[in-house]
Amino acid sequence: MTEILAEQLETEESMFVQTAQGIERDGDALTLLGVTPSTLYFSDRPQRVVGHMTTADFVDLWAIGDNSFESDPPNAVLAFLEPGADVPDDAVVVLREPILDGHGDLSYSIDLLEGTVPAKAGPVTLFIDPFGRPLSPVSVCGVRRRGRRRARRRAF
């Protein structure tokens, strides 16, 4: 069943969303504190598929398939709210080695690509790119990159 789901998600170019009550960062370790037990997935046109899977199933899918996240780690946008801030901030990271503990926390090893990830922050949303397509035009990071390029062009 897991391999069938992985193949379906890859074919649909599904992106993933995880939310949590907060984060802690210790070096290259990022922990989503109180991660929701469900991970949302969705695809863009033409299919526009939306669904949920357990976060445990998402972690189990990490190493499945030829274009698995284990073999081609995904980029992700981490949107977070720092204590006392009115507006969320974000950072672009590469995710590796997920570990879901029995207390509702999900840890990743990360590489920071852009922005800053604080040591602690409040509510967070993690937008994860599709299998095997880390900076494709349909990826969350690819969309964010296009927006920055357009903003720079308008500035000059």
Side-chain angles (χ1 to χ4, degrees):
M1 176 69 165
T2 304
E3 290 182 24
I4 294 169
L5 180 58
E7 187 176 308
Q8 173 189 343
L9 293 168
E10 184 176 347
T11 300
E12 295 167 353
E13 297 180 354
S14 294
M15 294 169 270
F16 305 90
V17 180
Q18 295 176 331
T19 58
Q21 296 172 6
I23 57 165
E24 287 182 353
R25 179 181 181 193
D26 184 11
D28 66 352
L30 174 71
T31 302
L32 303 178
L33 304 169
V35 69
T36 55
S38 178
T39 294
L40 171 78
Y41 61 89
F42 66 97
S43 65
D44 199 5
R45 292 175 220 160
Q47 297 156 336
R48 297 185 188 207
V49 175
V50 176
H52 293 88
M53 70 178 78
T54 68
T55 298
D57 284 346
F58 176 81
V59 172
D60 289 344
L61 287 173
W62 197 263
I64 304 293
D66 293 336
N67 288 320
S68 72
F69 284 157
E70 184 174 82
S71 65
D72 191 2
N75 290 346
V77 174
L78 176 70
F80 54 89
L81 192 62
E82 291 193 73
D86 293 330
V87 178
D89 203 353
D90 56 57
V92 178
V93 297
V94 177
L95 301 176
R96 301 181 198 297
E97 303 165 351
I99 299 171
L100 183 62
D101 72 15
H103 305 290
D105 297 338
L106 174 59
S107 297
Y108 291 101
S109 174
I110 63 166
D111 295 325
L112 184 63
L113 297 178
E114 183 180 312
T116 303
V117 177
K120 292 185 181 217
V124 298
T125 304
L126 187 63
F127 301 92
I128 304 168
D129 279 348
F131 291 111
R133 300 178 58 109
L135 281 176
S136 69
V138 299
S139 75
V140 175
C141 295
V143 168
R144 190 168 183 277
R145 183 182 60 213
R146 279 194 314 275
R148 286 192 314 273
R149 284 183 187 155
R150 289 178 184 144
R152 278 186 284 217
R153 286 185 206 137
R154 283 183 236 136
F156 294 105

